[in-house]
Amino acid sequence: MPRRPLLAMALVATLSVVTLTSCAPSSSSSSATAPPDTAVQHAQFGAPAAPDGHTLELQSDVVVVGGGHNAVWGASSDGTTWTLDSNAPGMDQLAVDKVLLATGYATGRIVQITKDGDRTDVVLAPIAITDLVKNGEVRFDQEVNPGELDVQGFDGGSITDTTEGGDGTISPVSLITPKEDYGDPLRDKPLPVPAKEFSKKTEDWELSGGTGADGLHFAVTTEASGLKVFATGTLLFDALHINLGMVIANSVAGGARGRVSGIQGVKVDVQAGSQNQGGSTIKKEFKLPFEIPIQTLIGGVPVFMKLSASVVVNAALVGTDATITGSGEWHLGSGLDVKIQDEAVTTNGDQDLKVVKSIMDSISGIALGGAVFNLGFKFKMLAGVGAPYFGAGGFATLTVTVGIGIGSALGSPFVLCRSASYDMALGTGVGIVTEPNILTSLLERIPHVKDVLPDDGLTRQATKPILHRKQTMPENQVCVGSGDEDK
């Protein structure tokens, strides 16, 4: 079937927001003949869809399954396979290539249907927001309290080695379950219940994140192959105001517009050491396997604001038993107020960076040949629809990079040099966001998925640096050299 183009989004109307909270899990099995506890389903699988028929005009190939979370019996941990009540209203209208709309997460293009008595397994592929809505207005306008947010974990995420090889390629490392081990989505690999914390372990690394009273936090840690790393970061806010949305007319959307305010600052903690002969080099990008969903009901149609995070580590520890540590906290004097219009970003003037805890004063370590550790993290806010592993529409990003170093620029054994840097950038754009590893697995299982994926040819993004600080101590020619410093 023809693919509809995905375009940018605009803000137009004020709508109420329903934030869903997590509940204790219940048990279910493949022989279930009745849905589990409805409160659990409401938290885990999203708000039920009940379109009012006039606020949003849906596309003609959208099938609404009635009963909402009562019709959903389970989902696989990667969010692709949904087990529905075969007797729910609208189930008789399901067909491959149509769009399912059941709950906030149980929404997508149908690529496979397997019926077994009272239960039906439906496999979904990503859709663009314009695959669901033909005409209508959407606006997110919500003040977010971090203590009220839950983390939705899923069987995704990735660790990418960003060290260029001989051919300059990047090698991904998947965190998802091999396709031959999927099993029954109700019993073997269920979608996790939302919680305050979520973590995922691989052979060498552990990725974790969550919410708390001060904001959103993450951690990447390892203690393998002669390397120890503990790196954490927190995006600080107490009342984050997110205003993003879209207007769609005849399956086409306009330019991205919106406003995000209330970001108070950032804090980080880095500890790293190497026991390897000659030291260690780390160049990794981590796509964290969780997102923080905020759900809205627009004319009875559930739509998400999804917050996700990626972490980049670039480090070099030179020499056996090299170590480096540092921690710091910075606040933005007046908070960060970002305006987005037609893929351009503006902020509330020059950013006044207040040092709450000096990372420069905390830098320590043993590195005869020098050591540097750069920790970067990107938070993305996406307005979209569908399962945890994808989304489509307008988005805003905040990227923060903190770097520390110890050693001497001239290799002098008599002077210990310490350096620290802090950079912040804002971005906005429009596009399709998918979990590459999950999408690859889905294509391997069901090859014709490639024929129904949304067109991503219009994906675009603009980024604007808004803050740069750098300092080296002591301030002498040995340590500073010819580099420019920001005091």
Side-chain angles (χ1 to χ4, degrees), residues 182 280 298 351 365:
Y182 268 81
S280 300
I298 302 171
Q351 298 305 310

Side-chain angles (χ1 to χ4, degrees), residues 192-205:
V193 173
K196 295 298 181 185
E197 302 284 337
F198 185 79
S199 64
K200 183 91 175 188
K201 289 185 178 180
T202 68
E203 183 176 347
D204 294 331
W205 291 87

Side-chain angles (χ1 to χ4, degrees), residues 14 57 66 69 82 170 173 212 220 255-256 287 319 333 355 364 386 465 475 479:
T14 302
E57 179 186 355
H69 49 268
W82 292 82
I170 295 175
V173 179
V220 292
K287 175 65 175 67
V355 178
S364 64
E475 298 178 10
C479 292

Side-chain angles (χ1 to χ4, degrees), residues 204-269:
D204 294 331
W205 291 87
E206 180 174 1
L207 316 181
S208 61
T211 60
D214 56 352
L216 314 179
H217 61 267
F218 70 85
V220 292
T221 61
T222 187
E223 190 169 341
S225 303
L227 180 67
K228 292 184 179 182
V229 173
F230 174 79
T232 67
T234 302
L235 180 66
L236 301 168
F237 65 87
D238 53 12
L240 182 66
H241 194 163
I242 302 176
N243 186 325
L244 289 173
M246 69 194 75
V247 58
I248 301 171
N250 295 320
S251 304
V252 177
R257 295 175 186 172
R259 187 169 183 171
V260 178
S261 60
I263 297 173
Q264 299 302 314
V266 171
K267 63 180 178 181
V268 300
D269 185 5

Side-chain angles (χ1 to χ4, degrees), residues 309-374:
S310 298
V311 180
V312 176
V313 173
N314 288 316
L317 307 175
V318 181
T320 307
D321 296 326
T323 62
I324 187 170
T325 64
S327 60
E329 181 173 343
W330 304 263
H331 289 183
L332 297 166
S334 57
L336 183 61
D337 187 348
V338 184
K339 294 182 180 179
I340 302 165
Q341 182 169 352
D342 298 327
E343 294 160 39
V345 292
T346 58
T347 64
N348 51 326
D350 294 334
Q351 298 305 310
D352 178 21
L353 189 67
K354 177 183 178 182
V355 178
V356 178
K357 179 181 180 181
S358 172
I359 197 169
M360 177 65 74
D361 293 343
S362 72
I363 296 174
S364 64
I366 302 172
L368 298 180
V372 294
F373 198 106
N374 292 300

Side-chain angles (χ1 to χ4, degrees), residues 312-480:
V312 176
V313 173
N314 288 316
L317 307 175
V318 181
T320 307
D321 296 326
T323 62
I324 187 170
T325 64
S327 60
E329 181 173 343
W330 304 263
H331 289 183
L332 297 166
S334 57
L336 183 61
D337 187 348
V338 184
K339 294 182 180 179
I340 302 165
Q341 182 169 352
D342 298 327
E343 294 160 39
V345 292
T346 58
T347 64
N348 51 326
D350 294 334
Q351 298 305 310
D352 178 21
L353 189 67
K354 177 183 178 182
V355 178
V356 178
K357 179 181 180 181
S358 172
I359 197 169
M360 177 65 74
D361 293 343
S362 72
I363 296 174
S364 64
I366 302 172
L368 298 180
V372 294
F373 198 106
N374 292 300
L375 176 66
F377 48 97
K378 177 189 287 187
F379 292 96
K380 176 174 286 187
M381 292 165 281
L382 170 75
V385 295
Y389 71 107
F390 65 80
F395 57 83
T397 62
L398 172 67
T399 303
V400 178
T401 304
V402 177
I404 59 175
I406 191 169
S408 171
L410 300 181
S412 169
F414 305 107
V415 180
L416 180 64
C417 304
R418 295 172 291 123
S419 64
S421 62
Y422 183 98
D423 292 272
M424 180 179 290
L426 295 170
T428 181
V430 58
I432 300 166
V433 179
T434 61
E435 272 293 314
N437 295 322
I438 293 179
L439 186 57
T440 298
S441 177
L442 184 60
L443 287 166
E444 290 175 350
R445 294 156 55 202
I446 309 173
H448 83 268
V449 166
K450 67 179 183 298
D451 299 325
V452 299
L453 291 177
D455 182 7
D456 63 353
L458 296 175
T459 298
R460 54 194 185 273
Q461 179 175 350
T463 303
K464 175 185 177 181
I466 63 168
L467 190 63
H468 170 73
R469 299 287 188 273
K470 183 179 180 181
Q471 188 178 16
T472 301
M473 296 294 288
E475 298 178 10
N476 55 36
Q477 187 64 28
V478 172
C479 292
V480 177

Side-chain angles (χ1 to χ4, degrees), residues 44-118:
Q44 191 174 10
F45 303 137
D52 61 17
H54 58 84
T55 302
L56 296 177
E57 179 186 355
L58 303 181
Q59 298 288 356
S60 60
D61 59 350
V62 174
V63 177
V64 179
V65 170
H69 49 268
N70 289 323
V72 179
W73 290 4
S76 60
S77 56
D78 66 350
T80 62
T81 303
W82 292 82
T83 299
L84 307 176
D85 183 351
S86 299
N87 303 307
M91 288 293 292
D92 59 337
Q93 301 298 312
L94 294 187
V96 170
D97 289 346
K98 288 191 175 183
V99 173
L100 168 69
L101 174 60
T103 69
Y105 271 145
T107 299
R109 182 78 62 186
I110 302 170
V111 293
Q112 188 178 86
I113 301 174
T114 305
K115 184 175 181 180
D116 182 13
D118 289 337

